[in-house]
Amino acid sequence: MSVPATPSVLFVCVHNAGRSQMAAAFLTHLAGDKVRVRSAGSAPADAVNPSVVEAMAEVGVDISAETPKVLTATAVRSSDVVITMGCGDACPVFPGKRYLDWALDDPAGRGVEAVRPIRDEIERRVRGLLAELDVETAS
């Protein structure tokens, strides 16, 4: 599949309060305006998981102002790559999109110590995705 000059990536998990927020934040942090980034959930939580906010702050990425967003067909339709975060989410499927599923532990209800390895694995996968998309990283 060919990649547009500015690819668009959507990260999806059920609550949009942990994994998808971390992935979107890392992609934005590493790629800047070279990639359009969204995250959403099928049943968004009221707020981003505080342990996730703390774990991301430890690596210099502030997501304290982020809020969970609801998944829409429009968000999927306008994305080149849709990444579900190991939660079995029912996501609308449109032809011509690239779909990936990243099986990751859910940080919900867990402390920052348990979130750190999830955060680090998400960063590793985001860096791999950027390499696949041929996007240079800022750091």
Side-chain angles (χ1 to χ4, degrees):
M1 157 176 176
S2 67
V3 178
T6 306
S8 177
V9 178
L10 171 65
F11 294 100
V12 181
C13 67
V14 175
H15 300 299
N16 189 222
R19 294 165 290 189
S20 56
Q21 290 283 351
M22 287 190 281
F26 272 127
L27 189 53
T28 299
H29 178 73
L30 294 169
D33 60 2
K34 297 176 191 160
V35 178
R36 287 192 318 270
V37 182
R38 294 181 196 77
S39 69
S42 56
D46 294 330
V48 175
N49 178 333
S51 296
V52 166
V53 173
E54 182 179 344
M56 291 300 286
E58 290 176 351
V59 294
V61 181
D62 180 9
I63 63 169
S64 60
E66 294 298 324
T67 56
K69 293 165 271 317
V70 70
L71 177 65
T72 65
T74 303
V76 176
R77 195 176 291 117
S78 59
S79 299
D80 301 305
V81 181
V82 178
I83 300 173
T84 55
M85 311 297 278
C87 47
D89 232 14
C91 188
V93 175
F94 296 99
K97 307 293 174 201
R98 180 174 174 203
Y99 291 89
L100 301 172
D101 183 62
W102 290 356
L104 298 158
D105 290 337
D106 188 348
R110 299 170 84 178
V112 71
E113 301 79 20
V115 173
R116 285 183 190 119
I118 301 167
R119 173 201 65 201
D120 296 345
E121 177 62 13
I122 289 171
E123 180 180 13
R124 187 187 69 73
R125 291 182 189 208
V126 165
R127 287 181 182 277
L129 175 67
L130 284 167
E132 286 175 33
L133 294 174
D134 202 24
V135 174
E136 281 190 40
T137 60
S139 53

